[in-house]
Amino acid sequence: MLLKKTPLYDFHVENGGKMVSFAGWSMPVQYSNLGVLASHLHTRENASLFDVSHMLQLRLSGKDRISFLEKLVVADIEELPFGSSTLSVFTNENGGIIDDTVICKHDDYIHIVSNAACADKDLIHIRKEMNKFQQKGGDVDLKVIDDHALLALQGPKAASVLQTLCGKDLTDFKFMTARQLNIKSSDCHVTRSGYTGEDGFEIGVPSSDSVELANFLLKYPSVQLAGLGARDSLRLEAGLCLYGHDLDDTTTPVEAGLTWTIGKRRRSEGGFLGAEHILPQIKGGKTRRRIGLIVEGAPARENAEIYNNENELIGPSPSLQKNIAMGYVKKGYHKSSTELQVKVRNRMQKAQVVKMPFVPTRYHK
């Protein structure tokens, strides 16, 4: 299969990117000057630049855009302030998660970013529901934003770098809000968000300007390029889910520990797909829970068995120098400090349930 390339593909190769296949895209997993471990630690201490242009970016418009989107996601879009973003999930009729997504509400449109691996099924789902909505007279329109790259600048020094580059004081630019910023003559859609647990920004930049902007950012000594390897270990430490690993279409938001994404009004009114399955779980009807674990001994692999429980995702934690995991266990085994066992290479290893995130987050609130 021919892999898709982001507008920064040649830039990655020129900078020593080790390109791998990911969700149908050719993406850098790491760079020759900085391994995954070093890149992970650099992000925690300085700032790293990730190319996340493979993500699906959408623009929803029309006077009924909010009521339409609220049929598909669990968030309270109506009460979300203009210029604010929220994490949410698309659900199916059975209450399972189709995908997780970040939704940003502007005064005349809604900006949506979701996972590259789910792009095709997300679009099929949204367009199918939109067609039914339009046939009933609803006014809504969907545009795929395919002329913009998406860069993620993450780490404690991200704000000082971007502030200098755009010439604006960003102190009042809070976590999970968005604004248009002119960066080196390029008009960019910027959200203060990310996938690392650190302060940072996701910058939607016209594809034609993306390499130039990346080069501008790399002129700062504190900024280094980072790939998928560090992105994955950083998000795991932050207790953030990866669709297809920690979330799937059989997992509900409540089971996944994402009950907080369900707006208060939505809990009473419902109105989204699968609400009749999801809402009773909030009151105690769930049978399993996503948990964090610290595991003794050798690192386990994905789908390692937890004793008396279900599947498990586990990986090394460079900052903690411990083996950490996220997985699902039967109700009653999810409480902090619960002792469990994980089967690794046919041997049982001790594990303990811990609160997430594994590393304190440093969002700018």
Side-chain angles (χ1 to χ4, degrees):
M1 182 180 71
L2 188 64
L3 296 176
K4 290 180 275 190
K5 298 177 180 179
T6 77
L8 292 103
Y9 174 84
D10 292 336
F11 168 83
H12 295 311
V13 173
E14 292 166 4
N15 282 277
K18 179 182 178 182
M19 310 305 288
V20 299
S21 173
F22 180 78
W25 293 79
S26 182
M27 299 294 294
V29 67
Q30 66 181 79
Y31 293 85
S32 58
N33 68 322
L34 212 60
V36 173
L37 171 60
S39 185
H40 177 113
L41 296 175
H42 180 86
T43 310
R44 292 277 183 243
E45 297 163 3
N46 294 281
S48 292
L49 180 63
F50 300 83
D51 177 14
V52 291
S53 306
H54 60 311
M55 302 286 279
L56 177 64
Q57 299 184 75
L58 303 171
R59 177 186 290 242
L60 200 63
S61 58
K63 66 180 179 65
D64 299 319
R65 61 189 179 277
I66 293 174
S67 58
F68 167 69
L69 187 56
E70 286 195 345
K71 293 181 180 297
L72 307 186
V73 301
V74 300
D76 187 342
I77 309 298
E78 184 66 46
E79 294 300 318
L80 188 68
F82 291 126
S84 294
S85 299
T86 186
L87 175 70
S88 192
V89 293
F90 292 106
T91 52
N92 59 30
E93 290 85 351
N94 297 318
I97 298 173
I98 294 173
D99 196 8
D100 56 309
T101 182
V102 173
I103 297 166
C104 182
K105 180 182 175 183
H106 293 284
D107 56 357
D108 57 350
Y109 72 97
I110 298 171
H111 187 94
I112 302 169
V113 179
S114 58
N115 288 296
C118 300
D120 290 342
K121 72 169 183 176
D122 287 356
L123 284 171
I124 290 171
H125 174 67
I126 295 170
R127 285 170 173 158
K128 175 185 173 183
E129 296 300 323
M130 186 169 68
N131 183 54
K132 291 190 290 187
F133 188 80
Q134 290 171 332
Q135 287 180 350
K136 294 179 181 178
D139 178 22
V140 64
D141 187 55
L142 180 71
K143 173 179 170 52
V144 177
I145 304 173
D146 53 9
D147 57 353
H148 278 59
L150 190 62
L151 300 178
L153 183 66
Q154 299 285 296
K157 296 185 180 178
S160 61
V161 168
L162 189 60
Q163 193 165 261
T164 303
L165 199 58
C166 70
K168 291 184 180 294
D169 182 359
L170 302 180
T171 306
D172 64 344
F173 193 169
K174 302 299 183 182
F175 177 63
M176 294 304 281
T177 63
R179 61 180 63 173
Q180 292 294 129
L181 286 179
N182 189 274
I183 307 174
K184 287 295 183 178
S185 301
S186 182
D187 191 29
C188 301
H189 180 271
V190 183
T191 58
R192 196 154 196 169
S193 61
Y195 198 48
T196 62
E198 296 291 336
D199 184 22
F201 304 87
E202 292 195 347
I203 306 168
V205 55
S207 298
S208 57
D209 297 338
S210 59
V211 171
E212 184 179 28
L213 177 56
N215 279 318
F216 275 128
L217 290 166
L218 288 178
K219 288 180 180 179
Y220 293 85
S222 58
V223 180
Q224 294 276 0
L225 287 168
L228 295 174
R231 182 171 159 84
D232 190 48
S233 59
L234 289 159
R235 70 92 193 164
L236 180 56
E237 280 189 347
L240 301 172
C241 298
L242 177 62
Y243 195 88
H245 298 262
D246 315 303
L247 303 174
D248 60 31
D249 59 9
T250 68
T251 306
T252 71
V254 181
E255 293 171 336
L258 297 175
T259 305
W260 61 271
T261 66
I262 307 173
K264 183 178 179 180
R265 176 177 59 85
R266 309 308 309 279
R267 297 183 192 197
S268 60
E269 295 180 5
F272 51 86
L273 289 172
E276 66 274 21
H277 299 283
I278 295 169
L279 296 182
Q281 292 186 344
I282 298 176
K283 300 175 182 178
K286 55 188 174 296
T287 58
R288 60 177 183 156
R289 287 280 298 274
R290 180 170 64 95
I291 57 165
L293 286 172
I294 289 184
V295 184
E296 295 182 11
R301 297 289 177 256
E302 185 174 346
N303 294 323
E305 294 176 351
I306 306 174
Y307 181 74
N308 211 20
N309 294 287
E310 300 177 43
N311 289 338
E312 175 68 358
L313 172 66
I314 190 166
S317 168
S319 292
L320 292 178
Q321 297 183 333
K322 296 178 181 178
N323 297 318
I324 60 174
M326 284 195 291
Y328 286 84
V329 297
K330 292 178 181 178
K331 185 179 178 182
Y333 292 93
H334 65 281
K335 295 181 180 179
S336 185
S337 299
T338 300
E339 298 289 339
L340 300 173
Q341 294 187 78
V342 177
K343 192 174 184 181
V344 183
R345 299 171 188 167
N346 291 318
R347 295 181 61 183
M348 302 305 293
Q349 295 184 177
K350 290 182 179 180
Q352 185 179 72
V353 179
V354 296
K355 290 183 178 180
M356 294 187 286
F358 299 99
V359 172
T361 57
R362 296 192 281 188
Y363 305 129
H364 183 68
K365 296 185 177 180

